[in-house]
Amino acid sequence: MTRPHKRSFTLRRRGRTPVWLRLLWRVGLAGALIAIALFGHWFDRDGLRDNIDGAISFLDVLYFTMITVTTVGYGDIVPVTTQARMFDTFVVTPVRLFVWIIFLGTAYDFLLKNVWDRWRMTVIQRHLHGHVVVAGYGTSGAEAVDELVKRGADPETIVVIDDRTVALDAAEARGTTVMQGDATRNAALEAAQLARARALIVAAGRDDTSILIVLTARGLAPRVPISVVIKSHDNEAIARQAGADTVINPASLAGVLLAGSTHGAHIASYLADLAAADGQVVLHERAVTSAEVGIPLSEIRTGLGHRIYRGDRSFGFWEAETQRLEPGDLIVEAVQRVHAEPAT
C-alpha cells in the first residue's frame, strides 16, 4: 500500500529569544570570524604584496580581508609567501564559507522563510473544503482520527490542531494535515478554514478548554457540526449550551456498555460493532429520499431504520410519527458494512 503523501503547516509561537537578539548574535558571530581573518592578515602583512603602490597599510589589510572573505579577490593585493597562502587556504576560505552560511541562514529565517510559510499555508488552505478539524490529539483525538481513516477518510482531509510538538509529530506520521496553535483562539480555527469544514471534533483533554473551543468555533462557523468529549457529567449541559451538537462522555458510554452487558452477553458487543468502523454493521445517517416520502420507516430498503429526526425532535421506530416519512426527515439506520465508507 502506498503511504499517503504528508503535508503540514505550522503556526509557530514566538521564541523566547527576541528577534533583534538573534540577529545581533549572528552579526556578532560573522564579525568575530572576519576579525580572525583581519588580524591574521595584519600580523602576517609582510606576506602580502600591493600591486598598486607596493606598501601595505592597515586599510589595505582591512580592504583585502573584506574582499577575500566576500569574494575571491581582485588581484590588486595578493599573498606572496607560502605562509600567507596557507593562511588564506585553511583559515580565510572556511571563514568565507561560514560567513556566507550565516548570511544565507539569516536571510532565510528573517525574510524567505516567512514568505515561504505564508505561501505554503495559502496553498493548503485553498484546498481545504469538506475536511474534518480535530482540536486536540490526545487519546480521544488520536482514536477519532484512526476511526475516520478506517471509515475511508483521506488523512490529508483531516486537520489536527494542537500546541504540543510531540502530538503533532504523531498526527503527521498518521498522514494528517497538522497545525500548531491554540484552538481556543479565532486565528487558529480560521487558519484551519473551519467555516468550510464538514465537522469539528473537540478532544482537548480538559472540559473547560473543550467548552471554550466549542464557543469559539460556534461563533466562527454556526452551521458546522461540533462533537466534543466531556469528562464530567455536570459539564455536558454547558457544552450543549456552548453550541456542541454531540456531547460524548467516555465514562458514561463505558457505563452504558457495562450495564448493557448485564442484560445479555451479546448486547455490548453489538453496540461496539455498530460503533466501530471495522464492524459488520454500521449506523448511517441520511436524508429521506423523495421516493420514501409517505412510507413508514419500517419499509425503507437501504437498511434497518431505528430513528428519524424531524426538525429539532427525534422519533423512534415504535412511535406513530415514523409511520409516515416527510420531506426533510433525517433517517438513522443500521446497514451492513460491505466495504469502507467513501470519504465525503
Side-chain angles (χ1 to χ4, degrees):
M1 180 181 295
T2 302
R3 186 173 183 177
H5 176 68
K6 295 186 293 185
R7 62 181 180 180
S8 64
F9 62 95
T10 303
L11 297 180
R12 299 187 181 276
R13 291 174 293 181
R14 182 176 299 177
R16 295 182 179 181
T17 304
V19 174
W20 65 267
L21 186 58
R22 285 186 285 141
L23 181 61
L24 183 62
W25 182 87
R26 297 187 185 195
V27 172
L29 178 59
L33 293 174
I34 294 174
I36 292 174
L38 174 64
F39 286 113
H41 284 145
W42 174 249
F43 288 124
D44 192 35
R45 57 188 177 278
D46 293 337
L48 303 177
R49 182 177 67 196
D50 189 337
N51 292 322
I52 304 300
D53 57 12
I56 296 293
S57 65
F58 180 78
L59 291 179
D60 290 329
V61 172
L62 178 62
Y63 162 78
F64 175 70
T65 300
M66 297 304 298
I67 292 300
T68 306
V69 168
T70 56
T71 66
V72 293
Y74 296 137
D76 48 353
I77 300 177
V78 294
V80 293
T81 65
T82 300
Q83 181 176 336
R85 290 171 178 171
M86 292 301 98
F87 180 78
D88 280 353
T89 300
F90 295 107
V91 177
V92 177
T93 298
V95 166
R96 180 189 304 121
L97 294 176
F98 278 114
V99 168
W100 273 105
I101 290 173
I102 293 172
F103 170 76
L104 293 175
T106 302
Y108 173 74
D109 283 344
F110 293 98
L111 297 176
L112 300 179
K113 188 174 184 298
N114 291 333
V115 175
W116 170 260
D117 287 344
R118 286 197 297 269
W119 176 82
R120 191 182 184 195
M121 180 180 290
T122 300
V123 171
I124 294 175
Q125 289 175 325
R126 188 180 303 126
H127 293 86
L128 286 178
H129 294 275
H131 54 292
V132 177
V133 179
V134 179
Y137 197 76
T139 302
S140 298
E143 290 180 353
V145 169
D146 288 342
E147 192 70 17
L148 286 170
V149 174
K150 289 178 182 178
R151 291 175 181 266
D154 184 348
E156 290 188 357
T157 64
I158 302 172
V159 179
V160 174
I161 306 176
D162 206 304
D163 58 1
R164 299 168 300 161
T165 303
V166 174
L168 293 180
D169 290 342
E172 189 175 18
R174 193 67 176 88
T176 67
T177 301
V178 300
M179 181 178 68
Q180 187 169 20
D182 183 357
T184 64
R185 297 183 177 274
N186 288 9
L189 297 178
E190 289 174 346
Q193 298 297 302
L194 179 64
R196 299 207 302 254
R198 68 181 176 92
L200 168 64
I201 296 175
V202 182
R206 289 173 52 101
D207 286 358
D208 53 352
T209 304
S210 296
I211 292 171
L212 183 55
I213 293 174
V214 172
L215 279 170
T216 306
R218 185 50 75 208
L220 292 174
R223 297 183 179 180
V224 173
I226 300 177
S227 301
V228 59
V229 175
I230 294 296
K231 296 181 178 180
S232 173
H233 176 75
D234 295 337
N235 293 329
E236 293 181 20
I238 300 176
R240 290 190 178 89
Q241 292 173 4
D245 299 281
T246 304
V247 178
I248 298 173
N249 187 321
S252 298
L253 181 59
V256 170
L257 294 176
L258 290 172
S261 66
T262 65
H263 290 78
H266 304 294
I267 292 179
S269 62
Y270 180 67
L271 291 175
D273 196 10
L274 283 172
D278 53 358
Q280 294 179 329
V281 292
V282 61
L283 286 176
H284 180 243
E285 180 178 325
R286 64 175 178 83
V288 66
T289 65
S290 58
E292 294 170 331
V293 173
I295 68 173
L297 178 63
S298 59
E299 293 185 10
I300 63 173
R301 294 291 180 262
T302 54
L304 183 61
H306 285 302
R307 181 175 292 182
I308 66 169
Y309 287 85
R310 183 171 296 159
D312 57 354
R313 300 182 63 188
S314 64
F315 303 101
F317 62 87
W318 63 90
E319 297 184 80
E321 286 79 1
T322 62
Q323 296 306 307
R324 179 181 174 83
L325 296 176
E326 299 180 0
D329 285 350
L330 292 177
I331 298 174
V332 175
E333 58 185 348
V335 299
Q336 181 183 7
R337 180 182 300 281
V338 292
H339 53 75
E341 292 180 332
T344 57

